[in-house]
């Protein structure tokens, strides 16, 4: 019920030579509390799609409902929607501007018109949630490392207490450790608070590990929609779209072709390890 | 909302004008501007209108794009029209309160408006059909003779082409930053002047930082490729006139001839 997208179409620079159809008849529904992964090749319309979900972009055609209400309907408060549907953009550099970390995180809740005490409280809570230690709070956000900037940017949105958190490629350009930390934190938010998460990522490994459901975009259309295991069965089609299945899935498929009895729906390294150990122990070859 | 800036916005379609040598277009624009200042009667302006209409047709750029640049000068247009309308001495037509409107004033204001509009649309034709790079190449080559008197033509052209190149990038960047702050509840529209100015800070800080970062990156990239100014630098695509350029110059001559004739006859 929470988010419903109906036949969404969007055209950039409509009516000019630069016209570009970014979304074409996309429909889906995301219930409360789901962890959704959004994948697709570069330019498939992922960023455009998520900017519709909090009303930053007005659809060319189609409708978007949040809790049953048309967000582009007359009299619907987009500012309120933006506090409920938090969107973290790909580059933290696009939003950090304050002299220190804590003031920057205060910006969102202050825009909600909360009291100064509450603003600070929320900012501190958000910074703790993303694992920013207190010693950083008075530092300039521009002196932080890429991963820490990312965290502050996420905290800046979390401080508004959103019900839905949308992250556009939050791990791009991070080292493996920074990536895992951010994603673990996002998962913790999902598990502890029942927050709906929409995560855009290019890493199939991450998707297999974290997402309950995958939406696959291809040239502005929704290509697949299902659990990661269902989706990765279509790995050949995914490859056609410039995507892939997790590496370990390929290993499993290769082993199955050689007669090792394994479940074809293995998508994470842990699952593969367990299944292989099991196969070795029972001695079936 | 930010995409209204047409200056420096190339419109990528194929047409004779797009393929023309930038020097030809630069010269043509100059000829056109001069002709507008020579024009002193209705027939001259009619000729200028016909010429402009023909060029717009040739350019394959939609008219809506051409007139978009006018929005930027709307204020200027209003001011100069009202000044001319109310402050020109002459035969009084009618009077609103203390403002006298004269026959000469109406004439002047009308010509002024048409002249300004043609001027802006005329220069838009050039910027819409010429990439900023071609434009500065054209400028550099046309003004090359100034190098003899130690004018740093190449450096100026380079600065200009970089500046022009950065405009659309910064516009796009502004759009992204605006969205990122709006997602955090920013409101760039409502509020008084002070409030509005304050609300620009979250937009301007990231924009400046990004501009400086881009500038340093670009400087590094240029140095890494041994850029050392214009001395001894050759071009991958040297500018060369083609048949259409000679045809264009002939057209300019004809147009100027017609213009001068109309000016003396009427
Ligand atoms: N501001 C914009 N103006 C014009 N076209 C755009 C703009 N943003 C994105 N596009 C185009 O829309 C399509 C979808 O882009 P995007 O949503 O950014 O894809 P993704 O996030 O999946 O890489 C692309 O073809 C892209 O070139
Ligand atoms: Mg994107």
């Amino acid at each position: 019920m929470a988010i419903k997208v109906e036949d969404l179409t969007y055209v950039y620079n409509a009516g000019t030579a630069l016209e570009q159809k970014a979304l074409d008849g996309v429909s889906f529904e995301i219930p409360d509390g789901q962890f959704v992964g959004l994948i697709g090749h570069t330019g498939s319309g992922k960023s455009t799609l998520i900017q519709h979900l909090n009303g930053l972009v007005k659809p060319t055609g189609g409708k978007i409902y949040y809790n049953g209400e048309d967000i582009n309907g007359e009299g619907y408060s987009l500012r309120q929607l933006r506090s409920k549907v938090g969107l973290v953009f790909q580059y933290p550099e696009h939003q950090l501007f304050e002299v220190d970390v804590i003031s920057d995180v205060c910006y969102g809740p202050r825009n909600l018109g909360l009291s100064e005490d509450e603003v600070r409280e929320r900012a501190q809570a958000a910074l703790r949630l993303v694992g920013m230690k207190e010693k950083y709070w008075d530092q300039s956000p521009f002196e932080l490392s890429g991963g820490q900037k990312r965290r502050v940017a996420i905290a800046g949105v979390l401080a508004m207490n959103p019900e839905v958190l949308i992250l556009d490629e939050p791990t791009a350009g991070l080292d493996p450790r920074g990536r895992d930390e951010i994603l673990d934190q996002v998962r913790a938010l999902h598990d502890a608070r029942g927050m709906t998460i929409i995560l855009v990522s290019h890493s199939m490994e991450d998707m297999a590990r974290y997402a309950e459901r995958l939406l696959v975009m291809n040239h502005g259309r929704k290509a697949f929609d299902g659990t990661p295991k269902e989706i990765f069965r279509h790995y050949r089609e995914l490859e056609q779209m410039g995507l892939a299945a997790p590496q370990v899935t390929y290993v499993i498929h290769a082993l199955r072709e050689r007669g090792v009895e394994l479940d074809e729906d293995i998508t994470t390294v842990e699952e593969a390890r367990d299944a292989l150990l099991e196969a070795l122990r029972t001695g079936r070859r | 909302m930010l995409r209204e800036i047409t200056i420096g916005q190339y419109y990528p379609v194929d047409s004779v004008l797009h393929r023309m040598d930038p020097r030809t277009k630069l010269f043509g624009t100059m000829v056109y501007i001069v002709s507008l200042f020579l024009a002193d009667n209705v027939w001259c302006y009619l000729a200028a209108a016909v010429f402009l209409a023909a060029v717009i047709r040739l350019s394959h750029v939609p008219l809506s794009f051409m007139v978009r640049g006018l929005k930027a000068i709307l204020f200027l247009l209003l001011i100069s029209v009202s000044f001319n309308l109310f402050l020109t001495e002459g035969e009084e037509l009618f009077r609103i309160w203390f403002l006298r409107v004269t026959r000469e004033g109406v004439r002047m204001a009308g010509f002024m408006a048409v002249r300004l509009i043609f001027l802006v649309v005329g220069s838009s034709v050039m910027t819409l059909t010429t990439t900023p790079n071609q434009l500065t190449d054209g400028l550099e080559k046309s003004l090359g003779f100034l190098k003899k008197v130690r004018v740093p033509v190449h450096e100026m052209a380079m600065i200009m082409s970089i500046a022009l190149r950065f405009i659309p990038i910064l516009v796009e960047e502004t759009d992204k930053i605006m969205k990122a702050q709006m997602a955090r509840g920013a409101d760039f529209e409502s509020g008084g002047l002070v409030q509005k100015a304050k609300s620009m800070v979250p937009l301007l800080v990231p924009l400046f930082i990004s501009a400086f970062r881009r500038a340093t990156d670009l400087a590094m990239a240029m140095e890494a490729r041994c850029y050392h100014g214009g001395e001894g630098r050759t071009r991958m695509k040297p500018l060369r006139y083609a048949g259409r350029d000679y045809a264009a110059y002939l057209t300019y001559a004809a147009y100027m001839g017609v213009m001068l004739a109309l000016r003396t006859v009427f």
Side-chain angles (χ1 to χ4, degrees):
Chain A
M1 182 63 184
I3 297 174
K4 188 171 172 200
V5 171
E6 251 179 33
D7 201 23
L8 182 61
T9 299
Y10 187 75
V11 182
Y12 278 105
N13 305 313
T16 73
L18 307 164
E19 191 167 284
Q20 171 91 36
K21 200 169 204 173
L23 292 173
D24 188 5
V26 178
S27 303
F28 57 81
E29 235 173 281
I30 296 177
D32 281 326
Q34 202 168 47
F35 195 129
V36 182
L38 184 57
I39 58 176
H41 61 87
T42 305
S44 60
K46 306 179 298 289
S47 298
T48 309
L49 173 62
I50 57 178
Q51 285 170 29
H52 277 88
L53 300 183
N54 72 347
L56 283 173
V57 178
K58 299 253 172 298
T60 309
K63 290 228 170 359
I64 300 146
Y65 299 94
Y66 185 68
N67 290 334
E69 283 179 87
D70 181 355
I71 68 165
N72 292 303
E74 202 140 323
Y76 192 88
S77 165
L78 283 176
R79 285 187 81 185
Q80 219 158 39
L81 174 74
R82 286 176 195 150
S83 73
K84 290 184 193 139
V85 181
L87 173 56
V88 185
F89 279 81
Q90 188 166 356
Y91 299 103
E93 288 80 7
H94 284 155
Q95 68 173 68
L96 302 177
F97 73 99
E98 272 286 6
V99 286
D100 54 43
V101 165
I102 183 105
S103 320
D104 203 279
V105 179
C106 284
Y107 180 68
R110 193 169 290 137
N111 281 331
L112 297 180
L114 303 171
S115 74
E116 204 50 31
D117 286 342
E118 202 167 341
V119 166
R120 274 205 100 71
E121 231 165 76
R122 287 229 197 152
Q124 289 169 357
L127 281 168
R128 285 203 188 93
L129 268 178
V130 297
M132 279 299 282
K133 297 204 182 70
E134 250 171 80
K135 66 171 176 188
Y136 294 120
W137 292 4
D138 295 320
Q139 269 192 25
S140 161
F142 305 108
E143 288 164 4
L144 301 174
S145 72
Q148 285 168 331
K149 275 187 193 155
R150 218 47 79 104
R151 280 163 202 251
V152 177
I154 296 175
V157 171
L158 279 179
M160 300 172 75
N161 278 355
E163 296 162 356
V164 179
L165 183 64
I166 308 175
L167 301 127
D168 197 353
E169 300 190 35
T171 54
L174 293 189
D175 53 30
R177 165 123 145 256
R179 187 191 63 206
D180 287 350
E181 281 174 0
I182 293 237
L183 291 180
D184 284 339
Q185 234 117 35
V186 170
R187 175 149 68 187
L189 284 169
H190 172 254
D191 294 348
R193 302 185 153 195
M195 207 181 264
T196 311
I197 307 279
I198 302 174
L199 176 70
V200 179
S201 170
H202 276 126
S203 159
M204 301 304 139
E205 274 72 23
D206 291 347
M207 285 307 184
R209 245 172 88 191
Y210 294 97
E212 296 169 59
R213 170 182 173 194
L214 280 187
L215 285 174
V216 185
M217 296 293 296
N218 188 31
H219 295 299
R221 292 168 180 273
K222 188 178 85 173
F224 292 112
D225 180 355
T227 65
K229 293 193 191 304
E230 285 164 6
I231 303 284
F232 290 136
R233 264 178 233 154
H234 300 276
Y235 64 100
R236 296 212 189 281
E237 281 131 292
L238 289 176
E239 280 167 13
Q240 300 275 307
M241 300 175 193
L243 302 169
Q247 302 268 332
V248 62
T249 306
Y250 289 95
V251 176
I252 297 295
H253 279 290
L255 285 171
R256 276 165 56 88
E257 270 163 34
R258 296 192 180 191
V260 185
E261 265 184 55
L262 290 166
D263 183 2
E264 73 162 330
D265 281 344
I266 290 170
T267 51
T268 67
V269 177
E270 289 76 17
E271 285 170 357
R273 177 196 61 200
D274 294 346
L276 285 173
L277 283 175
E278 180 66 26
L280 282 174
R281 195 167 47 226
T282 50
R284 278 177 293 174
R285 218 219 82 108
Chain B
M1 58 195 98
L2 287 157
R3 301 194 169 269
E4 284 157 20
I5 311 163
T6 356
I7 303 282
Q9 284 278 43
Y10 179 64
Y11 192 87
V13 285
D14 189 36
S15 78
V16 188
L17 283 190
H18 284 74
R19 287 190 300 260
M20 210 175 258
D21 190 291
R23 285 170 292 174
T24 315
K25 285 185 269 189
L26 270 170
F27 187 71
T29 311
M30 253 161 46
V31 166
Y32 190 67
I33 290 174
V34 169
S35 81
L36 284 179
F37 283 97
L38 287 177
D40 66 348
N41 62 52
V42 180
W43 299 106
C44 289
Y45 283 107
L46 212 61
V50 170
F51 183 70
L52 189 59
V55 169
I56 290 176
R57 262 209 82 110
L58 275 180
S59 75
H60 293 184
V61 179
L63 192 65
S64 64
F65 253 79
M66 293 282 176
V67 296
R68 211 166 277 190
L70 286 178
K71 265 189 214 160
I73 63 144
L74 201 62
F75 188 62
L76 183 72
L77 198 63
L78 276 179
I79 289 198
S80 57
V81 164
S82 16
F83 267 82
N84 276 300
L85 197 58
F86 296 126
L87 298 179
T88 313
E89 294 292 320
E91 178 193 343
E92 180 172 316
L93 281 180
F94 57 91
R95 182 187 268 270
I96 317 165
W97 193 24
F98 68 90
L99 295 166
R100 295 176 60 221
V101 174
T102 62
R103 180 182 294 281
E104 284 75 12
V106 171
R107 195 183 138 88
M108 288 278 278
F111 281 174
M112 186 55 121
V114 172
R115 191 179 280 173
L116 265 175
I117 291 171
F118 283 8
L119 206 115
V120 169
V121 175
S123 353
S124 296
V125 173
M126 180 179 66
T127 50
L128 285 164
T129 58
T130 321
T131 64
N133 268 335
Q134 288 174 336
L135 204 61
T136 39
D137 279 0
L139 263 181
E140 188 180 345
K141 188 117 189 202
S142 311
L143 300 176
F145 65 93
L146 286 175
K147 280 179 192 165
K148 299 226 165 61
V149 286
R150 298 267 184 91
V151 180
V153 177
H154 169 80
E155 282 68 20
M156 274 151 61
M158 181 57 89
I159 291 172
M160 203 172 110
S161 76
I162 290 174
L164 283 173
R165 180 70 196 85
F166 268 39
I167 290 173
I169 293 178
L170 289 181
V171 167
E172 205 165 292
E173 195 96 335
T174 311
D175 194 45
K176 283 189 179 144
I177 297 170
M178 256 176 135
K179 280 182 178 164
Q181 303 300 29
M182 274 157 80
R184 293 206 286 166
D187 182 358
F188 294 110
E189 263 108 53
S190 55
L193 202 62
V194 179
Q195 193 56 42
K196 259 190 187 160
K198 261 189 173 168
S199 73
M200 294 311 268
V201 175
L203 177 63
L204 291 178
V205 174
L207 188 63
F208 272 94
I209 290 177
S210 137
F212 281 121
R213 206 200 60 236
R214 278 176 195 283
T216 2
D217 286 356
L218 181 66
M220 290 273 229
M222 284 169 80
E223 293 219 330
R225 288 189 274 170
C226 303
Y227 177 78
H228 60 96
E231 202 69 33
R233 199 162 178 242
T234 55
R235 307 199 155 270
M236 190 161 93
K237 292 179 193 155
L239 292 176
R240 265 196 210 103
Y241 281 130
R244 55 176 166 269
D245 296 300
Y246 297 119
Y249 279 109
L250 282 180
T251 317
Y252 299 160
Y255 168 69
M256 255 335 212
V258 169
M259 212 59 179
L260 288 173
L262 286 173
R263 198 178 129 93
T264 39
V265 171
F266 294 96

